Amino acid sequence: MIDASIHRVTGTAVPIEGNDVDTDQIVPARFLKEITFDRMGSYLFYDARQGDSANHPLDNPRYAGASIMLVDHNFGCGSSREHAPQAIRRAGFKALIGASFAEIFLGNCRSLGIVTATADAAVLAQLADAIQQQPQTQWTIDVAAATVTVAGMAALPVRIKDAHQQAFLAGTWDELIVLKAQEAAIRERAKSLPYFSW
Amino acid sequence: MSQRTLYDKVWDRHTVGTLSTGMDQLLIGLHLVHEVTSPQAFASLRERQQPVAFPDRTIATMDHIVPTDRISRPFSDPQAELMAATLEANTREFGIRLMDMASGKQGIVHMIGPELGLTQPGMTIACGDSHTSTHGAFGSLAFGIGTTDVRNVLETQTMALSRLKVRRIRIEGALQRGVYAKDVILRIIADLGVKGGLGYAYEYSGAVIEALSMEGRMTICNMSIEGGARIGYINPDDTTFAYIRGREYAPRDWDAALAYWKSIRSDEDAVYDDEWVIDGNTIEPMITWGINPGQSITISDSLPHVADAADPKSFQDAFDFMAFTEGQSPESLAIDVAFIGSCTNGRLSDLREAAAIFRGKRVHSRVKAVVVPGSQQVARQAEAEGLDRIFIEAGAEWRHAGCSMCLAMNTDRLEGRQLCASSSNRNFMGRQGSPTGRTLLMSPAMVATAAVYGHVYDVRKVLNDD
């Protein structure tokens, strides 16, 4: 069996500023008319990156090659479209650190093995500062310890939801096999619900 | 932690077990599928030659990409045609019922579940769409899921979830004339914020909620997700039961159904993690002015000032995008487009409320007004009542059923910087199809009023003139 466990994420970071960045910004709805996720990476933050005056951090050479996004509150709010985290992953991102994440988006990230971590305002400010000072410095997120270490700095505490932490470490973030193993219990539970036979 | 709420009872009844991660494996009672978020899930099953575990518990329709003007096949948009054909092929191959255009039962997935009697109290309901929270109006736990979870539910009828906290939101008193369910939910989001519901399920209760029709209740639960709450629900009562009775998929053993439905109501002494109370008499017609559903004001207010905002950056971003002026009167906002429809406000009562405004009046010469019924059934009912004639005589367009201009995945969309008064649920940047298009969310009656006057206007002044 393939080892899908995720113990750490290492890479440089890019800041995506602003609260309530919604899934329509992450991938506009018109790009959802494709029956595969293959091209989603090229639609990431599409509209914000168009036009002569566009100056999106994803296109800023300072942050080239980033694989971690530093975000604010309620990132990924709105739609349940998995196209949003698919775009993020396919554009090369492996983790997001922010103040908070929208519920459905957070679960979708876990299903795809994208590590999401939240942190206090002071930690986020330090991280934002670190990007500005040295945008090409490597960060390491340690999933088990729930820390992020920026080269040359002490480890900073982040929070990873317990269940997600367990799933990343055990490599069961894609739960299909785990769920399927309970086939008999599923049938049993279905039988216990009155409406399954109505 | 909440205890003895509907949320706790229904969750426990559907828990297959607790996984090693600590998440619960939850059995899904009704799985609703549409064309946009399912193709990759079906492809995964096909690739591994796996069947759908409980095909009878899955129902499909097409709504997001369907055109609302010319609905003959093939659709004019080749991508839309491919999505429709893919759903048809997938449902045929995996033995799933499809409510297609020819069935007379097609419509927005959150419209057809209730109107066919599929949506019932005490169920868990999942769908690859965040507005699945709509079905919570019936006392079900209903929530949006991503495509990986669509695959998991197809293949196992279960998914992994962590328990949410429960916040009871009580709306007491009564609503003024000209104030609708849409205003109630916009007020809740204005009070609690767009991230106030993170980690929570919302239980709506109180005299205002109890007095609402099922359609009004659906409008409220629908926009729970706009307040950050993945789930919103209302305890089922006689209004709920009367709505379901006689519908195509209503339970045949009615007494057994009633017994189950009553058993899952929150107990009198249920424990909640949090509570919020609003006096319904203080709720006024609401409109959004910014780029998320929490950036709203009452029609009596002026637009806010950036300096007064808790989050100045988000207000500044909103003003920059909307090109409005701080402190401006909302009634000075001239609109270009009026959209009535969506899973929030595309039901018969919404169309009646809009028609009451349009009757005997004309849509303003500068405004393009589009009325899109949420389902084929709603369209037939509206036509039987002559509502379509009222819209057409007023100069509005009467269309076929679908999601349409709520998210503009079909050919209905804003152009350029157009400003749209919309009965839909999201005023996100670019939401209505033009990257620079702008949206003002409001009730259907307020949209109709704006369509007639050519600018935002207090519906209560119109109702008082009649």
Side-chain angles (χ1 to χ4, degrees):
Chain A
M1 219 170 104
I2 304 161
D3 179 10
S5 62
I6 303 169
H7 295 271
R8 61 186 56 78
V9 175
T10 300
T12 63
V14 57
I16 306 290
E17 289 177 14
N19 293 326
D20 313 311
V21 171
D22 59 71
T23 47
D24 280 78
Q25 291 179 53
I26 300 172
V27 182
R30 62 185 184 280
F31 299 121
L32 273 51
K33 293 194 291 183
E34 297 184 7
I35 58 170
T36 73
F37 289 128
D38 297 349
R39 290 201 293 212
M40 289 302 136
S42 60
Y43 304 137
L44 182 60
F45 288 111
Y46 190 89
D47 286 344
R49 298 168 72 178
Q50 300 304 302
D52 297 338
S53 59
N55 182 27
H56 199 273
L58 292 183
D59 301 315
N60 185 334
R62 275 169 61 81
Y63 311 126
S67 59
I68 299 170
M69 273 187 203
L70 184 68
V71 304
D72 288 318
H73 267 294
N74 200 25
F75 187 86
C77 63
S79 157
S80 63
R81 64 185 69 156
E82 189 173 298
H83 305 69
Q86 287 276 0
I88 288 170
R89 194 183 68 166
R90 287 164 192 270
F93 290 89
K94 293 178 261 177
L96 296 95
I97 303 175
S100 60
F101 295 93
E103 208 78 47
I104 306 176
F105 177 83
L106 189 69
N108 287 342
C109 283
R110 186 205 65 247
S111 301
L112 299 180
I114 301 170
V115 173
T116 51
T118 58
D120 293 338
V123 169
L124 294 173
Q126 270 180 279
L127 291 173
D129 196 48
I131 297 182
Q132 291 317 317
Q133 301 299 326
Q134 292 183 307
Q136 287 299 329
T137 297
Q138 296 279 311
W139 295 12
T140 299
I141 301 171
D142 184 323
V143 175
T147 58
V148 55
T149 307
V150 180
M153 286 168 65
L156 298 167
V158 297
R159 287 178 297 273
I160 300 172
K161 280 182 77 163
D162 287 350
H164 293 198
Q165 193 178 35
Q166 297 305 317
F168 292 137
L169 293 173
T172 57
W173 40 269
D174 180 345
E175 300 105 349
L176 181 61
I177 293 167
V178 178
L179 297 174
K180 216 161 173 177
Q182 301 304 318
E183 201 178 339
I186 294 168
R187 299 269 161 201
E188 221 26 60
R189 180 49 60 179
K191 243 185 263 171
S192 79
L193 282 162
Y195 69 84
F196 267 65
S197 55
W198 288 345
Chain B
M1 215 174 93
S2 64
Q3 292 169 35
R4 298 182 298 282
T5 67
L6 179 145
Y7 181 88
D8 295 291
K9 294 184 192 184
V10 176
W11 187 280
D12 291 343
R13 296 274 318 225
H14 290 78
T15 302
V16 174
T18 301
L19 304 172
S20 60
T21 57
M23 296 177 93
D24 285 341
Q25 182 174 5
L26 207 67
L27 183 68
I28 301 303
L30 176 64
H31 185 200
L32 300 167
V33 167
H34 65 86
E35 74 281 13
V36 175
T37 57
S38 66
Q40 303 86 345
F42 283 115
S44 170
L45 267 65
R46 182 180 297 114
E47 225 169 72
R48 293 172 294 109
Q49 299 184 307
Q50 296 300 313
V52 171
F54 289 76
D56 290 351
R57 311 251 27 122
T58 304
I59 300 281
T61 190
M62 47 182 89
D63 51 10
H64 285 65
I65 52 92
V66 296
T68 61
D69 46 5
R70 284 182 307 277
I71 57 172
S72 55
R73 297 288 292 275
F75 295 147
S76 61
D77 174 355
Q79 279 188 303
E81 176 57 30
L82 177 60
M83 289 214 111
T86 302
L87 183 68
E88 287 163 342
N90 285 336
T91 50
R92 209 179 306 122
E93 177 181 342
F94 289 94
I96 289 166
R97 276 169 291 182
L98 171 65
M99 304 303 178
D100 63 8
M101 314 287 268
S103 69
K105 300 170 190 173
Q106 173 266 341
I108 306 177
V109 66
H110 311 309
M111 306 281 304
I112 72 162
E115 69 189 13
L116 292 172
L118 289 160
T119 299
Q120 295 169 15
M123 282 183 169
T124 47
I125 302 178
C127 172
D129 189 284
S130 62
H131 293 110
T132 308
S133 58
T134 310
H135 307 262
F138 291 79
S140 60
L141 300 189
F143 44 86
I145 60 177
T147 298
T148 298
D149 280 325
V150 171
R151 178 206 65 187
N152 291 349
V153 176
L154 286 173
E155 200 164 327
T156 73
Q157 202 62 26
T158 66
M159 59 180 285
L161 276 168
S162 295
R163 224 177 168 106
L164 297 168
K165 292 182 281 190
V166 184
R167 174 179 290 138
R168 175 160 65 172
I169 299 176
R170 279 170 39 212
I171 317 289
E172 299 296 353
L175 297 180
Q176 305 168 33
R177 187 158 183 245
V179 176
Y180 305 91
K182 181 63 158 289
D183 302 305
V184 175
I185 186 62
L186 284 173
R187 166 67 185 275
I188 292 169
I189 297 168
D191 279 12
L192 296 169
V194 289
K195 64 175 191 292
L198 295 186
Y200 283 96
Y202 282 173
E203 176 180 305
Y204 304 102
S205 67
V208 165
I209 302 296
E210 285 162 26
L212 280 176
S213 68
M214 288 313 297
E215 302 203 343
R217 294 178 187 187
M218 283 188 253
T219 299
I220 289 179
C221 290
N222 171 275
M223 287 186 69
S224 300
I225 186 67
E226 311 314 335
R230 190 178 192 175
I231 286 179
Y233 70 87
I234 294 167
N235 280 297
D237 60 10
D238 289 341
T239 304
T240 321
F241 309 145
Y243 178 98
I244 297 169
R245 190 151 205 173
R247 291 184 188 263
E248 185 175 347
Y249 290 93
R252 280 183 295 274
D253 189 346
W254 188 252
D255 291 339
L258 273 185
Y260 175 60
W261 296 348
K262 288 177 177 172
S263 77
I264 50 87
R265 288 175 50 93
S266 294
D267 289 351
E268 291 290 328
D269 65 350
V271 178
Y272 297 87
D273 298 284
D274 192 29
E275 183 165 75
W276 184 258
V277 183
I278 294 175
D279 175 359
N281 301 79
T282 68
I283 301 176
E284 294 191 63
M286 301 286 293
I287 69 155
T288 63
W289 60 269
I291 53 174
N292 72 53
Q295 291 175 329
S296 63
I297 53 173
T298 76
I299 188 67
S300 316
D301 288 335
S302 304
L303 266 62
H305 292 268
V306 173
D308 300 336
D311 178 2
K313 181 188 183 314
S314 93
F315 271 37
Q316 189 60 58
D317 288 349
F319 274 110
D320 290 347
F321 185 80
M322 299 300 283
F324 296 157
T325 308
E326 296 174 60
Q328 188 176 0
S329 158
E331 295 197 339
S332 67
L333 301 175
I335 64 156
D336 306 299
V337 177
F339 170 61
I340 295 170
S342 85
C343 58
T344 309
N345 281 125
R347 285 172 281 270
L348 187 62
S349 58
D350 301 312
L351 302 187
R352 283 178 181 154
E353 285 155 10
I357 304 293
F358 280 126
R359 194 187 310 269
K361 298 198 179 72
R362 290 288 304 171
V363 171
H364 191 278
S365 59
R366 199 188 49 247
V367 175
K368 173 190 166 89
V370 182
V371 184
V372 182
S375 69
Q376 292 181 330
Q377 194 175 120
V378 167
R380 282 194 301 276
Q381 289 169 325
E383 284 164 8
E385 291 184 14
L387 302 184
D388 58 323
R389 298 308 317 164
I390 294 172
F391 298 132
I392 292 164
E393 280 160 21
E397 296 174 30
W398 172 247
R399 297 293 190 82
H400 296 285
C403 298
S404 179
M405 212 183 273
C406 173
L407 83 171
M409 285 188 70
N410 68 353
T411 46
D412 307 328
R413 62 186 64 146
L414 297 184
E415 289 168 20
R417 299 279 294 143
Q418 280 183 328
L419 184 63
C420 179
S422 181
S423 74
S424 55
N425 42 57
R426 287 186 179 141
N427 52 341
F428 296 157
M429 294 184 283
R431 172 75 179 181
Q432 294 192 283
S434 162
T436 54
R438 300 168 297 162
T439 304
L440 306 171
L441 302 178
M442 58 190 85
S443 71
M446 282 281 286
V447 173
T449 304
V452 168
Y453 284 80
H455 58 83
V456 174
Y457 193 64
D458 190 340
V459 65
R460 293 172 300 185
K461 295 181 198 165
V462 180
L463 294 172
N464 289 337
D465 288 346
D466 290 347

